[in-house]
PDB file of all heavy atoms in Angstrom:
ATOM      1  N   ARG A  27      43.358   0.013  58.359  1.00 98.00           N
ATOM      2  CA  ARG A  27      42.208  -0.886  58.568  1.00 98.00           C
ATOM      3  C   ARG A  27      42.268  -2.097  57.630  1.00 98.00           C
ATOM      4  O   ARG A  27      42.897  -2.062  56.576  1.00 98.00           O
ATOM      5  CB  ARG A  27      40.886  -0.151  58.358  1.00 98.00           C
ATOM      6  CG  ARG A  27      40.565   0.220  56.914  1.00 98.00           C
ATOM      7  CD  ARG A  27      39.669  -0.805  56.212  1.00 98.00           C
ATOM      8  NE  ARG A  27      39.479  -0.485  54.797  1.00 98.00           N
ATOM      9  CZ  ARG A  27      40.275  -0.889  53.835  1.00 98.00           C
ATOM     10  NH1 ARG A  27      41.323  -1.643  54.103  1.00 98.00           N
ATOM     11  NH2 ARG A  27      40.035  -0.579  52.564  1.00 98.00           N
ATOM     12  N   ASN A  29      39.301  -4.918  56.075  1.00 98.00           N
ATOM     13  CA  ASN A  29      37.887  -5.294  56.088  1.00 98.00           C
ATOM     14  C   ASN A  29      37.777  -6.812  56.069  1.00 98.00           C
ATOM     15  O   ASN A  29      38.338  -7.470  55.202  1.00 98.00           O
ATOM     16  CB  ASN A  29      37.188  -4.694  54.852  1.00 98.00           C
ATOM     17  CG  ASN A  29      35.673  -4.889  54.921  1.00 98.00           C
ATOM     18  OD1 ASN A  29      35.121  -5.068  56.008  1.00 98.00           O
ATOM     19  ND2 ASN A  29      35.025  -4.865  53.767  1.00 98.00           N
ATOM     20  N   GLY A  32      32.178  -7.847  53.550  1.00 98.00           N
ATOM     21  CA  GLY A  32      31.303  -6.719  53.211  1.00 98.00           C
ATOM     22  C   GLY A  32      32.060  -5.799  52.282  1.00 98.00           C
ATOM     23  O   GLY A  32      32.393  -4.666  52.653  1.00 98.00           O
ATOM     24  N   GLU A  33      32.352  -6.280  51.067  1.00 98.00           N
ATOM     25  CA  GLU A  33      33.200  -5.498  50.166  1.00 98.00           C
ATOM     26  C   GLU A  33      32.382  -4.898  49.036  1.00 98.00           C
ATOM     27  O   GLU A  33      31.502  -5.573  48.471  1.00 98.00           O
ATOM     28  CB  GLU A  33      34.277  -6.418  49.581  1.00 98.00           C
ATOM     29  CG  GLU A  33      35.599  -5.759  49.370  1.00 98.00           C
ATOM     30  CD  GLU A  33      36.251  -5.318  50.687  1.00 98.00           C
ATOM     31  OE1 GLU A  33      36.865  -6.176  51.346  1.00 98.00           O
ATOM     32  OE2 GLU A  33      36.123  -4.123  51.033  1.00 98.00           O
ATOM     33  N   HIS A  34      32.661  -3.655  48.737  1.00 98.00           N
ATOM     34  CA  HIS A  34      31.919  -2.890  47.717  1.00 98.00           C
ATOM     35  C   HIS A  34      30.427  -2.839  48.064  1.00 98.00           C
ATOM     36  O   HIS A  34      29.570  -2.875  47.183  1.00 98.00           O
ATOM     37  CB  HIS A  34      32.164  -3.472  46.311  1.00 98.00           C
ATOM     38  CG  HIS A  34      33.547  -3.177  45.817  1.00 98.00           C
ATOM     39  ND1 HIS A  34      33.897  -1.963  45.295  1.00 98.00           N
ATOM     40  CD2 HIS A  34      34.679  -3.930  45.813  1.00 98.00           C
ATOM     41  CE1 HIS A  34      35.199  -1.980  44.960  1.00 98.00           C
ATOM     42  NE2 HIS A  34      35.694  -3.156  45.286  1.00 98.00           N
ATOM     43  N   THR A  35      30.149  -2.804  49.337  1.00 98.00           N
ATOM     44  CA  THR A  35      28.760  -2.646  49.785  1.00 98.00           C
ATOM     45  C   THR A  35      28.547  -1.242  50.382  1.00 98.00           C
ATOM     46  O   THR A  35      27.407  -0.811  50.520  1.00 98.00           O
ATOM     47  CB  THR A  35      28.416  -3.668  50.887  1.00 98.00           C
ATOM     48  OG1 THR A  35      29.464  -3.657  51.854  1.00 98.00           O
ATOM     49  CG2 THR A  35      28.273  -5.074  50.333  1.00 98.00           C
ATOM     50  N   ASP A  36      29.641  -0.553  50.709  1.00 98.00           N
ATOM     51  CA  ASP A  36      29.451   0.688  51.510  1.00 98.00           C
ATOM     52  C   ASP A  36      28.847   1.829  50.703  1.00 98.00           C
ATOM     53  O   ASP A  36      28.190   2.702  51.273  1.00 98.00           O
ATOM     54  CB  ASP A  36      30.725   1.112  52.250  1.00 98.00           C
ATOM     55  CG  ASP A  36      31.871   1.563  51.363  1.00 98.00           C
ATOM     56  OD1 ASP A  36      31.841   1.286  50.149  1.00 98.00           O
ATOM     57  OD2 ASP A  36      32.806   2.194  51.889  1.00 98.00           O
ATOM     58  N   TYR A  37      29.054   1.831  49.384  1.00 98.00           N
ATOM     59  CA  TYR A  37      28.389   2.867  48.572  1.00 98.00           C
ATOM     60  C   TYR A  37      27.078   2.340  47.983  1.00 98.00           C
ATOM     61  O   TYR A  37      26.480   2.974  47.129  1.00 98.00           O
ATOM     62  CB  TYR A  37      29.333   3.394  47.472  1.00 98.00           C
ATOM     63  CG  TYR A  37      29.964   2.308  46.631  1.00 98.00           C
ATOM     64  CD1 TYR A  37      29.298   1.760  45.549  1.00 98.00           C
ATOM     65  CD2 TYR A  37      31.219   1.810  46.955  1.00 98.00           C
ATOM     66  CE1 TYR A  37      29.885   0.763  44.784  1.00 98.00           C
ATOM     67  CE2 TYR A  37      31.812   0.805  46.207  1.00 98.00           C
ATOM     68  CZ  TYR A  37      31.141   0.285  45.123  1.00 98.00           C
ATOM     69  OH  TYR A  37      31.716  -0.708  44.382  1.00 98.00           O
ATOM     70  N   VAL A  42      29.184  -3.398  56.295  1.00 98.00           N
ATOM     71  CA  VAL A  42      30.598  -3.738  56.211  1.00 98.00           C
ATOM     72  C   VAL A  42      31.068  -4.227  57.579  1.00 98.00           C
ATOM     73  O   VAL A  42      30.388  -3.988  58.578  1.00 98.00           O
ATOM     74  CB  VAL A  42      31.452  -2.522  55.764  1.00 98.00           C
ATOM     75  CG1 VAL A  42      31.166  -2.136  54.321  1.00 98.00           C
ATOM     76  CG2 VAL A  42      31.236  -1.312  56.690  1.00 98.00           C
ATOM     77  N   SER A 128      44.462   1.125  53.563  1.00 93.00           N
ATOM     78  CA  SER A 128      43.962   2.471  53.814  1.00 93.00           C
ATOM     79  C   SER A 128      44.983   3.437  54.422  1.00 93.00           C
ATOM     80  O   SER A 128      44.670   4.150  55.373  1.00 93.00           O
ATOM     81  CB  SER A 128      42.731   2.427  54.741  1.00 93.00           C
ATOM     82  OG  SER A 128      41.669   1.947  54.025  1.00 93.00           O
ATOM     83  N   SER A 170      35.016   7.321  47.011  1.00 93.00           N
ATOM     84  CA  SER A 170      34.937   6.168  47.930  1.00 93.00           C
ATOM     85  C   SER A 170      33.786   6.292  48.901  1.00 93.00           C
ATOM     86  O   SER A 170      33.222   7.378  49.124  1.00 93.00           O
ATOM     87  CB  SER A 170      36.241   6.068  48.722  1.00 93.00           C
ATOM     88  OG  SER A 170      36.430   7.255  49.448  1.00 93.00           O
ATOM     89  N   GLY A 171      33.418   5.152  49.519  1.00 96.00           N
ATOM     90  CA  GLY A 171      32.375   5.128  50.539  1.00 96.00           C
ATOM     91  C   GLY A 171      32.934   5.544  51.890  1.00 96.00           C
ATOM     92  O   GLY A 171      34.054   6.073  51.977  1.00 96.00           O
ATOM     93  N   ILE A 172      32.207   5.238  52.950  1.00 98.00           N
ATOM     94  CA  ILE A 172      32.585   5.712  54.285  1.00 98.00           C
ATOM     95  C   ILE A 172      33.384   4.678  55.086  1.00 98.00           C
ATOM     96  O   ILE A 172      33.937   4.976  56.134  1.00 98.00           O
ATOM     97  CB  ILE A 172      31.321   6.158  55.090  1.00 98.00           C
ATOM     98  CG1 ILE A 172      31.683   6.833  56.430  1.00 98.00           C
ATOM     99  CG2 ILE A 172      30.390   4.961  55.332  1.00 98.00           C
ATOM    100  CD1 ILE A 172      32.477   8.084  56.319  1.00 98.00           C
ATOM    101  N   MET A 173      33.470   3.449  54.546  1.00 98.00           N
ATOM    102  CA  MET A 173      34.040   2.364  55.383  1.00 98.00           C
ATOM    103  C   MET A 173      35.410   2.664  55.976  1.00 98.00           C
ATOM    104  O   MET A 173      35.613   2.505  57.177  1.00 98.00           O
ATOM    105  CB  MET A 173      34.133   1.076  54.572  1.00 98.00           C
ATOM    106  CG  MET A 173      34.904   0.000  55.312  1.00 98.00           C
ATOM    107  SD  MET A 173      34.826  -1.598  54.565  1.00 98.00           S
ATOM    108  CE  MET A 173      35.918  -1.403  53.157  1.00 98.00           C
ATOM    109  N   ASP A 174      36.355   3.086  55.140  1.00 98.00           N
ATOM    110  CA  ASP A 174      37.743   3.193  55.607  1.00 98.00           C
ATOM    111  C   ASP A 174      37.873   4.230  56.720  1.00 98.00           C
ATOM    112  O   ASP A 174      38.461   3.972  57.766  1.00 98.00           O
ATOM    113  CB  ASP A 174      38.677   3.568  54.453  1.00 98.00           C
ATOM    114  CG  ASP A 174      38.585   2.577  53.304  1.00 98.00           C
ATOM    115  OD1 ASP A 174      38.033   1.485  53.503  1.00 98.00           O
ATOM    116  OD2 ASP A 174      39.074   2.901  52.209  1.00 98.00           O
ATOM    117  N   GLN A 175      37.346   5.405  56.462  1.00 98.00           N
ATOM    118  CA  GLN A 175      37.478   6.486  57.435  1.00 98.00           C
ATOM    119  C   GLN A 175      36.740   6.143  58.727  1.00 98.00           C
ATOM    120  O   GLN A 175      37.192   6.464  59.828  1.00 98.00           O
ATOM    121  CB  GLN A 175      36.944   7.797  56.836  1.00 98.00           C
ATOM    122  CG  GLN A 175      37.820   8.374  55.716  1.00 98.00           C
ATOM    123  CD  GLN A 175      37.569   7.743  54.356  1.00 98.00           C
ATOM    124  OE1 GLN A 175      36.684   6.885  54.198  1.00 98.00           O
ATOM    125  NE2 GLN A 175      38.327   8.148  53.351  1.00 98.00           N
ATOM    126  N   TYR A 224      37.137   1.665  40.092  1.00 89.00           N
ATOM    127  CA  TYR A 224      36.292   1.815  41.289  1.00 89.00           C
ATOM    128  C   TYR A 224      35.072   2.680  40.940  1.00 89.00           C
ATOM    129  O   TYR A 224      33.937   2.303  41.215  1.00 89.00           O
ATOM    130  CB  TYR A 224      37.118   2.466  42.410  1.00 89.00           C
ATOM    131  CG  TYR A 224      36.388   2.585  43.716  1.00 89.00           C
ATOM    132  CD1 TYR A 224      36.483   1.581  44.670  1.00 89.00           C
ATOM    133  CD2 TYR A 224      35.586   3.685  43.990  1.00 89.00           C
ATOM    134  CE1 TYR A 224      35.805   1.687  45.888  1.00 89.00           C
ATOM    135  CE2 TYR A 224      34.910   3.805  45.195  1.00 89.00           C
ATOM    136  CZ  TYR A 224      35.030   2.805  46.130  1.00 89.00           C
ATOM    137  OH  TYR A 224      34.347   2.910  47.311  1.00 89.00           O
ATOM    138  N   GLY A 338      39.410  -4.772  50.680  1.00 95.00           N
ATOM    139  CA  GLY A 338      39.570  -3.409  50.154  1.00 95.00           C
ATOM    140  C   GLY A 338      38.997  -3.300  48.746  1.00 95.00           C
ATOM    141  O   GLY A 338      38.134  -4.065  48.350  1.00 95.00           O
ATOM    142  N   ALA A 339      39.519  -2.338  47.995  1.00 93.00           N
ATOM    143  CA  ALA A 339      38.939  -2.054  46.681  1.00 93.00           C
ATOM    144  C   ALA A 339      39.187  -3.158  45.663  1.00 93.00           C
ATOM    145  O   ALA A 339      38.400  -3.384  44.769  1.00 93.00           O
ATOM    146  CB  ALA A 339      39.490  -0.727  46.162  1.00 93.00           C
TER     147      ALA A 339
HETATM  148  C1  GLA B   1      37.844   1.188  49.130  1.00 64.95           C
HETATM  149  C2  GLA B   1      36.913   2.339  49.487  1.00 64.95           C
HETATM  150  C3  GLA B   1      35.838   1.895  50.489  1.00 64.95           C
HETATM  151  C4  GLA B   1      35.132   0.638  49.997  1.00 64.95           C
HETATM  152  C5  GLA B   1      36.133  -0.435  49.544  1.00 64.95           C
HETATM  153  C6  GLA B   1      35.473  -1.634  48.900  1.00 64.95           C
HETATM  154  O1  GLA B   1      38.585   0.785  50.235  1.00 64.95           O
HETATM  155  O2  GLA B   1      37.654   3.401  50.039  1.00 64.95           O
HETATM  156  O3  GLA B   1      34.946   2.933  50.697  1.00 64.95           O
HETATM  157  O4  GLA B   1      34.230   0.919  48.969  1.00 64.95           O
HETATM  158  O5  GLA B   1      37.097   0.096  48.638  1.00 64.95           O
HETATM  159  O6  GLA B   1      34.693  -2.314  49.825  1.00 64.95           O
END
Side-chain angles (χ1 to χ4, degrees):
R27 70 95 185 89
N29 188 23
E33 216 65 81
H34 288 280
T35 48
D36 67 344
Y37 51 84
V42 291
S128 287
S170 60
I172 187 62
M173 171 170 75
D174 303 346
Q175 290 82 4
Y224 184 92

